[in-house]
Amino acid sequence: MPTLAIVGAGPGLGAAVARRFARDGFAIALISRDQSKLDALATELEAAGATARGYAADVREPAQLEDALARAAAELGPITALQYSPLPSRNYLKPVLDLTPELALEALQFSALGLIHAVRAVLPAMREAGEGSIILINGGTSVMARAGFAGTSVAFPSESAYGEMLHDALEGEGIRVSQLVIPGGIPKLELPNGIDDVADRIWGLHATAGEFRTMLIPLEDGRE
């Protein structure tokens, strides 16, 4: 059974993506910091027929993240798809004049460095198999900096740059690397089927090779 690992899993987008991938036979590895919340989400998904398990890890702690991904692969099956979508702390959404070096470093650890550690944990098996997908979920500051959201305006572009380089380096190996930019809170987007439409879009990024970046809506129509 192929496995989808969702780094930053939660009851909103993470759960919707888990349901969508489970319909096509994926086991689901749920990764975030709170084991009790992960267990509750896994129970909910399994009640709906999915195979799901939670693995607690803080993306700012490389050993925790790498161990969670290794345990997921060992217990559920090879990680064929990785979604990197941890929700940034509100501390990263400060004005630029309040951004300290320490906070900027933490934001980079959360976004760019966390992604690099996650990719290095799953990529060898994907390359050996000759298939896989790595999907980044980011807000609008990955495309355009905003002085009122200084932490993500520093960290998201770094994450994006790494993802785009991966896309170019791996496109000939059957491994798809893509980014979905969501410039605004999902509940405010007024999509016909709500969050399930976003999950369908993410499934499409996994299933079909294409450009690195996809905008869920035009940047000017959303908010961070």
Side-chain angles (χ1 to χ4, degrees):
M1 179 179 289
T3 299
L4 164 68
I6 303 176
V7 179
L13 180 59
V17 172
R19 292 191 297 267
R20 179 62 186 84
F21 276 70
R23 291 211 312 264
D24 278 76
F26 276 74
I28 310 299
L30 306 164
I31 300 173
S32 68
R33 287 181 291 180
D34 191 319
Q35 186 67 53
S36 63
K37 291 181 179 179
L38 291 173
D39 290 343
L41 179 54
T43 297
E44 177 185 317
L45 291 168
E46 291 196 323
T51 298
R53 192 168 299 176
Y55 302 88
D58 187 331
V59 298
R60 297 167 299 181
E61 298 292 340
Q64 290 184 21
L65 181 56
E66 292 167 5
D67 178 68
L69 289 164
R71 286 188 290 125
E75 295 174 7
L76 297 175
I79 295 175
T80 305
L82 170 70
Q83 175 177 302
Y84 194 83
S85 53
L87 185 65
S89 165
R90 294 198 64 81
N91 286 336
Y92 307 154
L93 309 180
K94 289 188 173 183
V96 64
L97 295 180
D98 294 334
L99 183 65
T100 64
E102 293 78 14
L103 190 58
L105 176 58
E106 184 179 320
L108 286 164
Q109 290 171 331
F110 189 88
S111 296
L113 298 182
L115 173 64
I116 293 170
H117 283 288
V119 167
R120 290 180 65 83
V122 303
L123 189 56
M126 289 184 183
R127 298 185 77 184
E128 183 176 351
E131 63 175 345
S133 67
I134 298 166
I135 302 167
L136 289 58
I137 310 297
N138 293 111
T141 50
S142 60
V143 179
M144 180 179 293
R146 293 180 63 192
F149 298 81
T152 59
S153 292
V154 168
F156 277 174
S158 298
E159 180 183 339
S160 300
Y162 175 68
E164 188 166 12
M165 290 186 290
L166 278 181
H167 172 275
D168 295 345
L170 296 171
E171 61 181 348
E173 297 190 31
I175 300 169
R176 296 166 298 285
V177 182
S178 56
Q179 177 191 49
L180 180 64
V181 177
I182 304 175
I186 291 173
K188 299 178 181 179
L189 297 182
E190 299 182 357
L191 301 170
N193 298 302
I195 204 165
D196 289 336
D197 283 347
V198 185
D200 283 337
R201 182 70 67 89
I202 291 170
W203 171 260
L205 295 177
H206 160 75
T208 305
E211 298 295 323
F212 169 65
R213 177 173 291 142
T214 296
M215 302 293 298
L216 182 64
I217 60 172
L219 183 64
E220 59 273 15
D221 291 347
R223 295 287 186 273
E224 181 62 32

